Amino acid sequence: MVAQSDSVSNKAKLLSYIDIGIASKYYTLSYLNRSDRKKALHYCRQSLRYKVTIFNLFLFVKLLVSSKSGNAFLHRALNLW
């Protein structure tokens, strides 16, 4: 679709939609891997790399603040999704 688009603004809009889709997939992966803090942080960082939203930014901050032994806190942070 991007290659067939005739204007630069349409190409930028389509690429933005693609970035939003990729970011949401990584955000979902961070939720699914909530038991492994390292994987959850990795996927959340990848989500922020593609598209910064208030949801993935807030989740990333919560994951950084949580301690490794605080599984209950981590679980609550990921349940915001």
Side-chain angles (χ1 to χ4, degrees), residues 56-67:
N56 60 6
L57 185 62
F58 186 68
L59 175 63
F60 185 70
V61 170
K62 287 278 195 179
L63 287 170
L64 284 178
V65 171
S66 69
S67 65

Side-chain angles (χ1 to χ4, degrees), residues 17-28 46-47 50-51:
Y17 291 149
I18 292 169
D19 285 345
I20 290 169
I22 293 171
S24 67
K25 297 293 182 190
Y26 277 119
Y27 186 75
T28 303
Q46 291 297 323
S47 174
Y50 286 99
K51 180 73 176 173

